[in-house]
Amino acid sequence: MKDAGSKTYVTVKDNQNVLLHPSTVLQTEGEWLVYNEFVLTTKNFVRTVTTVKAEWLLDIAPNYYDLSTFSTGPVKSALERAVQKIRRKDAQKSQYSKR
């Protein structure tokens, strides 16, 4: 998850601050990333990344992103907002299907 007001991201489960590796060619930095490599040098980097939406993460891996397993903080708050967004969309869909 993107750390507000900086160029760093925070890993979801262990809250480590990371930067995009200089070899990354990501053109737009999103709020959420999925990465393949965690590179440790004098700084923590993530490499081979793509941007994603938090709703996608909750949909594809609900057990991993179970909110009860997260401590209070910015990551949990962002995931809670994503859950609320999903619920609003689901409510709208069911409202339209009743018509």
Side-chain angles (χ1 to χ4, degrees):
M1 186 189 105
K2 182 88 168 178
D3 193 12
S6 76
K7 291 195 170 255
T8 63
Y9 286 85
V10 178
T11 59
V12 171
K13 288 290 184 167
D14 53 5
N15 293 314
Q16 291 196 45
N17 290 322
V18 296
L19 295 163
L20 293 177
H21 192 272
S23 67
T24 299
V25 293
L26 196 62
Q27 296 199 2
T28 56
E29 294 181 21
E31 182 182 6
W32 293 85
L33 296 176
V34 172
Y35 63 90
N36 184 50
E37 290 180 86
F38 190 99
V39 181
L40 296 173
T41 62
T42 56
K43 297 178 182 176
N44 295 338
F45 291 104
V46 288
R47 184 167 48 191
T48 315
V49 300
T50 190
T51 58
V52 295
K53 294 181 179 181
E55 301 91 87
W56 298 350
L57 299 173
L58 292 163
D59 184 46
I60 196 93
N63 292 333
Y64 186 82
Y65 293 97
D66 178 2
L67 293 178
S68 67
T69 64
F70 287 87
S71 58
T72 302
V75 171
K76 184 173 185 174
S77 295
L79 289 170
E80 288 171 336
R81 286 192 303 274
V83 167
Q84 291 170 358
K85 185 175 181 180
I86 291 167
R87 288 181 181 151
R88 281 193 306 272
K89 284 184 180 181
D90 288 346
Q92 286 177 340
K93 284 180 187 175
S94 68
Q95 189 177 30
Y96 288 124
S97 66
K98 291 178 183 178
R99 292 181 183 183

XYZ file of all heavy atoms in Angstrom:
801
model
N 0.842 -1.168 0.000
C 0.000 0.000 0.000
C 0.890 1.234 0.000
O 1.906 1.278 0.688
C -0.895 -0.007 1.236
C -1.899 1.104 1.225
S -2.789 1.254 2.778
C -1.975 2.679 3.406
N 0.511 2.240 -0.761
C 1.282 3.483 -0.860
C 1.229 4.221 0.464
O 0.175 4.398 1.054
C 0.694 4.348 -1.978
C 1.428 5.633 -2.225
C 2.540 5.425 -3.197
C 3.067 6.779 -3.662
N 4.153 6.670 -4.548
N 2.393 4.622 0.946
C 2.483 5.412 2.163
C 2.125 6.852 1.807
O 2.755 7.449 0.929
C 3.904 5.323 2.729
C 4.022 5.834 4.146
O 2.984 6.044 4.793
O 5.154 6.019 4.602
N 1.122 7.396 2.437
C 0.605 8.727 2.096
C 1.709 9.784 2.116
O 2.483 9.876 3.056
C -0.512 9.118 3.052
N 1.777 10.546 1.041
C 2.697 11.672 0.979
C 4.158 11.314 0.757
O 5.030 12.149 0.961
N 4.444 10.086 0.330
C 5.844 9.738 0.078
C 5.940 8.807 -1.122
O 4.936 8.427 -1.705
C 6.478 9.076 1.306
O 6.040 7.749 1.433
N 7.142 8.432 -1.480
C 7.354 7.522 -2.606
C 7.470 6.073 -2.145
O 7.738 5.192 -2.937
C 8.607 7.925 -3.382
C 8.451 9.225 -4.127
C 9.550 9.375 -5.153
C 9.252 10.551 -6.040
N 8.791 10.151 -7.351
N 7.273 5.838 -0.868
C 7.408 4.478 -0.355
C 6.061 3.774 -0.294
O 5.001 4.405 -0.273
C 8.039 4.465 1.059
O 7.174 5.144 1.965
C 9.402 5.111 1.071
N 6.153 2.471 -0.268
C 4.994 1.612 -0.057
C 5.207 0.868 1.253
O 6.331 0.740 1.726
C 4.854 0.602 -1.200
C 4.345 1.222 -2.475
C 5.220 1.843 -3.366
C 2.994 1.199 -2.792
C 4.752 2.424 -4.535
C 2.523 1.778 -3.960
C 3.410 2.386 -4.824
O 2.938 2.964 -5.976
N 4.138 0.379 1.833
C 4.201 -0.396 3.068
C 3.711 -1.801 2.741
O 2.619 -1.958 2.183
C 3.320 0.230 4.170
C 3.359 -0.605 5.433
C 3.744 1.657 4.449
N 4.512 -2.813 3.078
C 4.060 -4.185 2.829
C 2.897 -4.503 3.755
O 2.856 -4.042 4.899
C 5.206 -5.199 3.019
O 5.700 -5.108 4.350
C 6.317 -4.973 2.015
N 1.957 -5.284 3.250
C 0.684 -5.496 3.940
C 0.839 -6.248 5.259
O 0.309 -5.831 6.275
C -0.309 -6.224 3.012
C -1.545 -6.663 3.756
C -0.692 -5.319 1.857
N 1.533 -7.329 5.264
C 1.559 -8.180 6.454
C 2.660 -7.829 7.453
O 2.479 -8.003 8.645
C 1.687 -9.661 6.059
C 0.423 -10.212 5.445
C -0.697 -10.350 6.461
C -1.919 -10.992 5.862
N -2.896 -11.406 6.816
N 3.811 -7.340 6.980
C 4.891 -7.076 7.940
C 5.275 -5.601 8.056
O 6.262 -5.262 8.689
C 6.115 -7.937 7.659
C 6.602 -7.820 6.225
O 6.052 -7.009 5.469
O 7.541 -8.547 5.863
N 4.491 -4.727 7.442
C 4.644 -3.271 7.592
C 6.062 -2.760 7.339
O 6.551 -1.894 8.048
C 4.171 -2.826 8.974
C 2.687 -3.018 9.144
O 1.909 -2.657 8.269
N 2.286 -3.620 10.245
N 6.712 -3.280 6.308
C 8.042 -2.783 5.941
C 7.906 -1.706 4.877
O 7.125 -1.857 3.931
C 8.916 -3.918 5.415
C 9.285 -4.907 6.482
C 10.431 -5.771 6.033
O 11.411 -5.283 5.477
N 10.324 -7.064 6.269
N 8.661 -0.637 5.025
C 8.687 0.409 4.002
C 9.586 -0.042 2.866
O 10.709 -0.488 3.095
C 9.193 1.722 4.582
C 8.205 2.342 5.529
O 7.010 2.283 5.311
N 8.692 2.940 6.588
N 9.067 0.059 1.637
C 9.821 -0.346 0.457
C 9.697 0.721 -0.626
O 8.749 1.500 -0.641
C 9.332 -1.703 -0.097
C 9.570 -2.816 0.907
C 7.874 -1.659 -0.500
N 10.669 0.722 -1.508
C 10.666 1.606 -2.678
C 10.549 0.756 -3.926
O 10.891 -0.432 -3.910
C 11.978 2.394 -2.751
C 12.256 3.385 -1.633
C 13.730 3.769 -1.606
C 11.392 4.615 -1.831
N 10.094 1.373 -5.018
C 10.125 0.681 -6.294
C 11.572 0.581 -6.748
O 12.319 1.557 -6.672
C 9.314 1.441 -7.340
C 7.813 1.500 -7.120
C 7.162 2.357 -8.196
C 7.208 0.118 -7.114
N 11.978 -0.584 -7.208
C 13.350 -0.777 -7.678
C 13.588 0.115 -8.896
O 12.684 0.320 -9.708
C 13.564 -2.251 -8.036
C 14.990 -2.594 -8.256
N 15.593 -2.475 -9.485
C 15.942 -3.035 -7.395
C 16.849 -2.846 -9.379
N 17.096 -3.186 -8.125
N 14.800 0.672 -9.040
C 15.085 1.552 -10.182
C 14.833 0.907 -11.546
O 14.559 1.610 -12.520
C 16.570 1.896 -10.015
C 16.841 1.695 -8.570
C 15.919 0.601 -8.112
N 14.896 -0.410 -11.643
C 14.650 -1.081 -12.923
C 13.164 -1.220 -13.245
O 12.793 -1.644 -14.335
C 15.304 -2.470 -12.925
O 14.658 -3.318 -11.994
N 12.301 -0.862 -12.306
C 10.857 -0.955 -12.514
C 10.412 0.069 -13.546
O 10.816 1.229 -13.486
C 10.105 -0.735 -11.186
O 10.510 -1.754 -10.276
C 8.613 -0.785 -11.368
N 9.584 -0.354 -14.462
C 9.129 0.546 -15.524
C 7.650 0.920 -15.372
O 7.005 1.301 -16.332
C 9.375 -0.067 -16.924
C 10.857 -0.175 -17.207
C 8.683 -1.396 -17.067
N 7.157 0.830 -14.177
C 5.770 1.177 -13.906
C 5.552 2.649 -14.251
O 6.272 3.518 -13.764
C 5.478 0.918 -12.421
C 4.043 0.857 -11.979
C 3.326 -0.301 -12.668
C 3.973 0.683 -10.470
N 4.539 2.918 -15.082
C 4.342 4.291 -15.532
C 3.479 5.119 -14.586
O 3.649 6.319 -14.489
C 3.754 4.300 -16.934
C 4.725 3.699 -17.924
C 4.416 4.080 -19.332
O 3.497 4.834 -19.608
N 5.200 3.568 -20.249
N 2.548 4.481 -13.921
C 1.735 5.194 -12.944
C 1.787 4.430 -11.629
O 1.621 3.217 -11.607
C 0.266 5.323 -13.390
O -0.256 4.025 -13.647
C 0.128 6.184 -14.617
N 2.026 5.140 -10.576
C 2.108 4.514 -9.256
C 0.729 4.514 -8.620
O 0.156 5.556 -8.370
C 3.101 5.273 -8.379
C 4.529 5.190 -8.877
C 5.501 5.912 -7.988
O 5.188 6.146 -6.809
O 6.591 6.247 -8.477
N 0.198 3.329 -8.390
C -1.104 3.190 -7.773
C -0.990 3.116 -6.264
O 0.098 3.083 -5.693
N -2.154 3.058 -5.610
C -2.160 2.947 -4.154
C -1.710 1.561 -3.705
O -1.080 1.399 -2.678
C -3.560 3.240 -3.603
C -3.613 3.185 -2.096
C -5.000 3.419 -1.514
O -5.983 3.511 -2.265
O -5.089 3.502 -0.278
N -2.023 0.536 -4.509
C -1.697 -0.846 -4.169
C -0.856 -1.475 -5.268
O -1.076 -1.238 -6.446
C -2.971 -1.664 -3.991
C -3.769 -1.238 -2.814
C -4.697 -0.227 -2.773
C -3.713 -1.768 -1.493
N -5.217 -0.115 -1.515
C -4.630 -1.055 -0.702
C -2.979 -2.783 -0.909
C -4.835 -1.317 0.638
C -3.177 -3.062 0.436
C -4.099 -2.333 1.193
N 0.101 -2.315 -4.867
C 0.957 -3.057 -5.788
C 0.962 -4.527 -5.407
O 0.812 -4.873 -4.238
C 2.419 -2.599 -5.689
C 2.821 -1.200 -6.062
C 4.299 -1.013 -5.768
C 2.538 -0.935 -7.520
N 1.196 -5.353 -6.396
C 1.559 -6.745 -6.157
C 2.970 -6.872 -6.708
O 3.257 -6.399 -7.815
C 0.597 -7.713 -6.877
C 1.098 -9.146 -6.775
C -0.793 -7.600 -6.289
N 3.854 -7.483 -5.932
C 5.242 -7.601 -6.387
C 5.690 -9.049 -6.365
O 5.145 -9.882 -5.645
C 6.175 -6.743 -5.520
C 6.251 -7.143 -4.063
C 7.188 -8.073 -3.624
C 5.383 -6.581 -3.124
C 7.261 -8.440 -2.290
C 5.451 -6.938 -1.791
C 6.392 -7.869 -1.386
O 6.457 -8.231 -0.063
N 6.703 -9.318 -7.166
C 7.258 -10.662 -7.249
C 8.553 -10.794 -6.450
O 8.816 -11.847 -5.896
C 7.513 -11.038 -8.712
C 8.001 -12.444 -8.865
O 7.405 -13.367 -8.330
N 9.093 -12.620 -9.575
N 9.335 -9.732 -6.409
C 10.629 -9.798 -5.729
C 10.767 -8.706 -4.677
O 10.425 -7.558 -4.911
C 11.771 -9.594 -6.731
C 11.985 -10.709 -7.700
C 13.131 -10.364 -8.624
O 14.292 -10.634 -8.237
O 12.865 -9.815 -9.700
N 11.313 -9.097 -3.554
C 11.683 -8.164 -2.495
C 13.210 -8.138 -2.502
O 13.847 -9.159 -2.252
C 11.153 -8.664 -1.147
C 11.277 -7.678 -0.035
C 10.188 -6.914 0.348
C 12.468 -7.507 0.644
C 10.279 -6.009 1.395
C 12.579 -6.602 1.680
C 11.482 -5.845 2.058
N 13.801 -7.001 -2.849
C 15.249 -6.892 -3.019
C 15.835 -6.109 -1.846
O 15.455 -4.964 -1.608
C 15.599 -6.184 -4.348
C 17.105 -6.088 -4.530
C 14.946 -6.896 -5.526
N 16.743 -6.735 -1.129
C 17.398 -6.082 0.003
C 18.791 -5.604 -0.404
O 19.646 -6.407 -0.760
C 17.522 -7.052 1.175
C 16.211 -7.537 1.789
C 16.480 -8.622 2.814
C 15.484 -6.380 2.426
N 18.984 -4.300 -0.366
C 20.305 -3.695 -0.561
C 20.474 -2.759 0.626
O 20.059 -3.093 1.722
C 20.387 -2.961 -1.917
O 19.421 -1.905 -1.926
C 20.130 -3.897 -3.085
N 21.015 -1.589 0.396
C 21.055 -0.613 1.490
C 19.660 -0.080 1.775
O 19.422 0.521 2.809
C 21.994 0.557 1.147
O 21.576 1.136 -0.093
C 23.438 0.081 1.042
N 18.736 -0.313 0.835
C 17.325 0.048 0.996
C 16.487 -1.170 0.637
O 16.959 -2.104 -0.011
C 16.954 1.208 0.062
C 17.696 2.491 0.338
C 17.298 3.550 -0.654
C 18.099 4.825 -0.399
N 17.804 5.836 -1.420
N 15.230 -1.156 1.048
C 14.294 -2.231 0.680
C 13.593 -1.839 -0.619
O 12.992 -0.767 -0.700
C 13.246 -2.437 1.769
C 13.833 -2.926 3.062
O 14.916 -3.493 3.090
N 13.119 -2.721 4.147
N 13.662 -2.723 -1.613
C 13.017 -2.476 -2.907
C 12.063 -3.613 -3.242
O 12.260 -4.746 -2.817
C 14.062 -2.402 -4.035
C 14.945 -1.198 -3.994
C 16.249 -1.303 -3.540
C 14.484 0.034 -4.428
C 17.078 -0.194 -3.518
C 15.308 1.152 -4.409
C 16.604 1.032 -3.952
N 11.044 -3.285 -4.058
C 10.224 -4.313 -4.680
C 10.420 -4.188 -6.188
O 10.569 -3.096 -6.721
C 8.726 -4.202 -4.297
C 8.515 -4.625 -2.860
C 8.163 -2.819 -4.529
N 10.457 -5.365 -6.829
C 10.715 -5.397 -8.267
C 9.719 -6.357 -8.905
O 9.214 -7.263 -8.256
C 12.160 -5.858 -8.496
C 12.595 -5.852 -9.918
C 14.073 -6.009 -10.091
N 14.643 -7.100 -9.319
C 15.957 -7.267 -9.167
N 16.801 -6.435 -9.708
N 16.410 -8.279 -8.462
N 9.487 -6.173 -10.189
C 8.493 -6.928 -10.948
C 7.129 -6.698 -10.288
O 6.601 -7.551 -9.585
C 8.830 -8.429 -11.024
O 10.210 -8.592 -11.326
C 7.998 -9.115 -12.087
N 6.612 -5.508 -10.520
C 5.396 -5.066 -9.841
C 4.297 -4.723 -10.839
O 4.562 -4.469 -12.015
C 5.660 -3.826 -8.955
C 6.692 -4.107 -7.902
C 6.067 -2.632 -9.792
N 3.076 -4.729 -10.350
C 1.941 -4.220 -11.114
C 0.976 -3.563 -10.134
O 0.906 -3.956 -8.974
C 1.245 -5.338 -11.926
O 0.297 -4.741 -12.816
C 0.535 -6.319 -11.026
N 0.279 -2.548 -10.601
C -0.708 -1.890 -9.744
C -2.000 -2.700 -9.763
O -2.349 -3.318 -10.768
C -0.990 -0.448 -10.200
O -1.439 -0.462 -11.548
C 0.237 0.419 -10.075
N -2.680 -2.690 -8.638
C -3.963 -3.385 -8.494
C -4.890 -2.527 -7.648
O -4.456 -1.572 -7.008
C -3.795 -4.780 -7.828
C -2.990 -5.718 -8.699
C -3.186 -4.660 -6.454
N -6.147 -2.901 -7.632
C -7.117 -2.261 -6.749
C -7.267 -3.125 -5.509
O -7.216 -4.355 -5.584
C -8.468 -2.118 -7.452
C -8.439 -1.166 -8.617
C -9.804 -1.059 -9.250
C -9.772 -0.080 -10.413
N -11.087 0.058 -11.044
N -7.476 -2.494 -4.382
C -7.644 -3.241 -3.124
C -8.816 -4.204 -3.210
O -8.753 -5.308 -2.664
C -7.826 -2.271 -1.959
N -9.863 -3.825 -3.930
C -11.027 -4.698 -4.073
C -10.642 -6.014 -4.753
O -11.194 -7.066 -4.436
C -12.138 -4.027 -4.899
C -12.655 -2.734 -4.327
C -11.897 -1.527 -4.855
O -12.247 -0.977 -5.914
O -10.931 -1.134 -4.185
N -9.701 -5.956 -5.696
C -9.260 -7.169 -6.382
C -8.584 -8.111 -5.395
O -8.781 -9.319 -5.443
C -8.299 -6.842 -7.500
C -8.843 -5.984 -8.600
C -10.146 -5.621 -8.808
C -8.087 -5.379 -9.640
N -10.233 -4.819 -9.918
C -8.987 -4.650 -10.451
C -6.749 -5.357 -9.971
C -8.583 -3.940 -11.570
C -6.334 -4.648 -11.090
C -7.254 -3.951 -11.880
N -7.765 -7.542 -4.522
C -7.058 -8.367 -3.534
C -8.039 -9.063 -2.602
O -7.890 -10.240 -2.295
C -6.089 -7.499 -2.726
C -4.985 -6.803 -3.534
C -4.216 -5.839 -2.640
C -4.061 -7.817 -4.175
N -9.039 -8.321 -2.154
C -10.054 -8.893 -1.259
C -10.856 -9.990 -1.969
O -11.240 -10.981 -1.354
C -10.992 -7.803 -0.763
C -10.345 -6.779 0.176
C -11.205 -5.529 0.278
C -10.099 -7.387 1.529
N -11.077 -9.816 -3.262
C -11.842 -10.785 -4.029
C -11.035 -12.057 -4.298
O -11.546 -13.163 -4.159
C -12.287 -10.157 -5.356
C -13.172 -11.071 -6.177
O -14.109 -11.660 -5.598
O -12.930 -11.181 -7.389
N -9.780 -11.903 -4.664
C -8.971 -13.054 -5.068
C -8.428 -13.852 -3.879
O -8.213 -15.058 -3.976
C -7.817 -12.623 -6.001
C -7.228 -13.824 -6.722
C -6.728 -11.907 -5.295
C -7.810 -14.093 -8.050
N -8.196 -13.192 -2.747
C -7.597 -13.878 -1.587
C -8.258 -13.430 -0.284
O -7.616 -12.812 0.570
C -6.101 -13.612 -1.547
N -9.537 -13.736 -0.101
C -10.248 -13.253 1.092
C -9.657 -13.761 2.407
O -9.697 -13.044 3.409
C -11.676 -13.744 0.888
C -11.576 -14.842 -0.106
C -10.389 -14.546 -0.961
N -9.103 -14.956 2.431
C -8.509 -15.464 3.671
C -7.233 -14.716 4.039
O -6.989 -14.433 5.210
C -8.231 -16.970 3.572
C -9.508 -17.769 3.506
O -10.544 -17.357 4.001
N -9.441 -18.923 2.869
N -6.422 -14.408 3.042
C -5.177 -13.676 3.299
C -5.475 -12.258 3.783
O -4.780 -11.728 4.642
C -4.313 -13.638 2.033
C -2.950 -13.040 2.250
C -1.918 -13.812 2.768
C -2.686 -11.711 1.945
C -0.655 -13.280 2.981
C -1.427 -11.173 2.148
C -0.416 -11.958 2.659
O 0.821 -11.419 2.870
N -6.511 -11.638 3.216
C -6.868 -10.265 3.567
C -8.015 -10.206 4.570
O -8.788 -9.256 4.587
C -7.196 -9.465 2.305
C -5.971 -9.279 1.440
C -5.716 -10.116 0.357
C -5.040 -8.297 1.728
C -4.582 -9.967 -0.415
C -3.901 -8.144 0.969
C -3.680 -8.978 -0.099
O -2.543 -8.824 -0.854
N -8.137 -11.207 5.420
C -9.131 -11.230 6.482
C -8.829 -10.096 7.462
O -7.784 -10.082 8.108
C -9.079 -12.586 7.186
C -10.058 -12.698 8.339
O -10.829 -11.744 8.592
O -10.054 -13.754 8.993
N -9.732 -9.138 7.556
C -9.487 -7.932 8.357
C -9.239 -8.225 9.832
O -8.547 -7.460 10.502
C -10.646 -6.953 8.208
C -10.797 -6.342 6.816
C -12.003 -5.426 6.767
C -9.549 -5.594 6.403
N -9.765 -9.307 10.341
C -9.557 -9.624 11.759
C -8.102 -9.976 12.065
O -7.696 -9.957 13.224
C -10.473 -10.770 12.195
O -10.100 -11.972 11.556
N -7.303 -10.257 11.028
C -5.893 -10.603 11.243
C -4.968 -9.390 11.190
O -3.775 -9.522 11.414
C -5.409 -11.641 10.203
O -5.459 -11.043 8.893
C -6.257 -12.898 10.252
N -5.518 -8.213 10.894
C -4.708 -6.995 10.777
C -4.813 -6.156 12.041
O -5.891 -6.009 12.614
C -5.180 -6.142 9.589
C -4.809 -6.714 8.254
C -5.634 -7.629 7.625
C -3.631 -6.348 7.632
C -5.302 -8.167 6.404
C -3.283 -6.876 6.405
C -4.118 -7.784 5.788
N -3.692 -5.591 12.447
C -3.732 -4.655 13.571
C -4.219 -3.302 13.068
O -4.144 -2.994 11.877
C -2.350 -4.535 14.223
O -1.402 -4.119 13.270
N -4.696 -2.485 13.982
C -5.198 -1.163 13.636
C -4.085 -0.339 13.006
O -2.960 -0.335 13.492
C -5.725 -0.453 14.896
O -6.749 -1.272 15.470
C -6.281 0.914 14.567
N -4.393 0.322 11.912
C -3.403 1.143 11.224
C -3.870 1.489 9.826
O -5.007 1.174 9.439
N -3.001 2.122 9.045
C -3.404 2.597 7.713
C -3.766 1.478 6.735
O -4.655 1.636 5.916
C -2.200 3.397 7.224
C -1.065 3.009 8.100
C -1.641 2.532 9.383
N -3.086 0.337 6.808
C -3.395 -0.769 5.901
C -4.791 -1.301 6.189
O -5.610 -1.459 5.275
C -2.330 -1.891 6.001
C -2.767 -3.115 5.225
C -0.981 -1.402 5.517
N -5.094 -1.545 7.453
C -6.419 -2.049 7.811
C -7.494 -1.033 7.446
O -8.552 -1.408 6.923
C -6.480 -2.377 9.302
C -7.797 -3.004 9.714
C -7.789 -3.490 11.144
C -9.073 -4.214 11.484
N -9.027 -4.803 12.823
N -7.242 0.239 7.687
C -8.226 1.278 7.341
C -8.500 1.298 5.841
O -9.647 1.416 5.414
C -7.723 2.647 7.792
O -7.620 2.702 9.194
N -7.451 1.183 5.036
C -7.615 1.183 3.580
C -8.394 -0.049 3.122
O -9.250 0.046 2.237
C -6.254 1.243 2.898
N -8.110 -1.194 3.716
C -8.852 -2.407 3.367
C -10.312 -2.303 3.803
O -11.215 -2.761 3.087
C -8.185 -3.639 3.984
C -6.849 -4.047 3.367
C -6.177 -5.123 4.208
C -7.035 -4.512 1.928
N -10.572 -1.699 4.948
C -11.956 -1.494 5.403
C -12.721 -0.599 4.429
O -13.889 -0.857 4.130
C -11.975 -0.902 6.808
C -11.577 -1.885 7.877
C -11.389 -1.267 9.255
O -11.117 -0.050 9.359
O -11.514 -2.019 10.240
N -12.048 0.434 3.913
C -12.688 1.299 2.908
C -13.013 0.503 1.645
O -14.070 0.679 1.036
C -11.798 2.498 2.578
C -11.761 3.549 3.661
C -11.108 4.840 3.186
N -9.752 4.658 2.694
C -8.650 4.661 3.459
N -8.757 4.825 4.767
N -7.461 4.512 2.923
N -12.114 -0.388 1.262
C -12.355 -1.217 0.077
C -13.540 -2.154 0.303
O -14.359 -2.350 -0.604
C -11.099 -2.014 -0.270
N -13.661 -2.722 1.492
C -14.797 -3.589 1.819
C -16.096 -2.790 1.723
O -17.095 -3.262 1.165
C -14.633 -4.218 3.222
C -15.929 -4.842 3.701
C -13.507 -5.233 3.228
N -16.099 -1.570 2.261
C -17.302 -0.728 2.190
C -17.666 -0.414 0.742
O -18.846 -0.416 0.370
C -17.086 0.558 2.982
C -17.015 0.332 4.476
C -16.564 1.566 5.242
O -16.260 2.603 4.652
N -16.483 1.445 6.559
N -16.664 -0.167 -0.089
C -16.904 0.115 -1.504
C -17.532 -1.094 -2.193
O -18.486 -0.965 -2.970
C -15.584 0.485 -2.186
C -15.719 0.916 -3.614
C -14.377 1.374 -4.159
C -14.497 1.845 -5.589
N -13.203 2.283 -6.122
N -17.029 -2.284 -1.898
C -17.585 -3.516 -2.464
C -19.038 -3.684 -2.029
O -19.903 -4.023 -2.835
C -16.736 -4.741 -2.043
C -15.368 -4.700 -2.717
C -17.463 -6.040 -2.370
C -14.365 -5.687 -2.137
N -19.309 -3.443 -0.757
C -20.677 -3.585 -0.241
C -21.638 -2.599 -0.900
O -22.781 -2.938 -1.204
C -20.694 -3.422 1.275
C -20.087 -4.612 1.984
C -20.135 -4.469 3.480
N -19.528 -5.634 4.120
C -18.938 -5.624 5.284
N -18.883 -4.508 5.998
N -18.404 -6.717 5.773
N -21.169 -1.361 -1.130
C -22.013 -0.369 -1.804
C -22.329 -0.820 -3.229
O -23.468 -0.725 -3.683
C -21.329 0.999 -1.825
C -21.423 1.757 -0.523
C -21.012 3.219 -0.677
N -19.687 3.393 -1.266
C -18.542 3.428 -0.581
N -18.553 3.300 0.731
N -17.392 3.601 -1.204
N -21.314 -1.326 -3.931
C -21.535 -1.804 -5.301
C -22.494 -2.987 -5.323
O -23.372 -3.061 -6.184
C -20.201 -2.204 -5.954
C -19.371 -1.040 -6.391
C -18.112 -1.507 -7.102
C -17.279 -0.334 -7.539
N -16.054 -0.766 -8.246
N -22.327 -3.910 -4.374
C -23.227 -5.064 -4.297
C -24.657 -4.625 -4.006
O -25.614 -5.167 -4.573
C -22.749 -6.058 -3.231
C -21.494 -6.806 -3.649
O -21.125 -6.769 -4.843
O -20.871 -7.421 -2.758
N -24.824 -3.642 -3.134
C -26.160 -3.130 -2.804
C -26.796 -2.479 -4.022
O -27.995 -2.657 -4.274
C -26.076 -2.141 -1.644
N -26.008 -1.743 -4.800
C -26.534 -1.121 -6.012
C -26.952 -2.177 -7.027
O -27.991 -2.055 -7.665
C -25.488 -0.195 -6.639
C -25.284 1.091 -5.891
C -24.190 1.943 -6.505
O -23.333 1.448 -7.245
N -24.209 3.225 -6.204
N -26.137 -3.217 -7.162
C -26.475 -4.283 -8.107
C -27.791 -4.959 -7.724
O -28.627 -5.214 -8.568
C -25.368 -5.323 -8.160
C -24.147 -4.904 -8.920
C -23.104 -6.012 -8.906
C -21.804 -5.565 -9.514
N -20.757 -6.606 -9.384
N -27.932 -5.262 -6.435
C -29.165 -5.928 -6.005
C -30.368 -4.996 -6.135
O -31.470 -5.432 -6.428
C -29.027 -6.454 -4.568
O -28.943 -5.400 -3.650
N -30.170 -3.722 -5.954
C -31.245 -2.745 -6.102
C -31.701 -2.684 -7.553
O -32.891 -2.647 -7.841
C -30.767 -1.378 -5.624
C -31.842 -0.338 -5.535
C -31.279 0.972 -4.985
O -30.117 1.301 -5.167
N -32.123 1.712 -4.300
N -30.748 -2.714 -8.496
C -31.098 -2.667 -9.910
C -31.728 -3.972 -10.389
O -32.577 -3.978 -11.253
C -29.862 -2.351 -10.768
C -29.406 -0.925 -10.652
C -28.119 -0.620 -10.273
C -30.271 0.128 -10.921
C -27.677 0.682 -10.148
C -29.865 1.448 -10.803
C -28.561 1.724 -10.425
O -28.144 3.010 -10.306
N -31.326 -5.075 -9.791
C -31.891 -6.366 -10.220
C -33.331 -6.548 -9.752
O -34.060 -7.354 -10.320
C -31.018 -7.526 -9.715
O -31.066 -7.606 -8.301
N -33.765 -5.791 -8.763
C -35.149 -5.877 -8.276
C -36.118 -5.119 -9.167
O -37.313 -5.289 -9.069
C -35.242 -5.324 -6.844
C -34.557 -6.210 -5.825
C -34.637 -5.614 -4.448
C -33.888 -6.466 -3.437
N -33.907 -5.876 -2.099
N -35.585 -4.302 -10.023
C -36.456 -3.483 -10.895
C -37.002 -4.258 -12.046
O -36.653 -5.140 -12.591
C -35.685 -2.269 -11.429
C -35.378 -1.307 -10.330
C -34.645 -0.126 -10.876
N -34.300 0.761 -9.766
C -33.711 1.899 -9.927
N -33.377 2.344 -11.102
N -33.425 2.652 -8.894
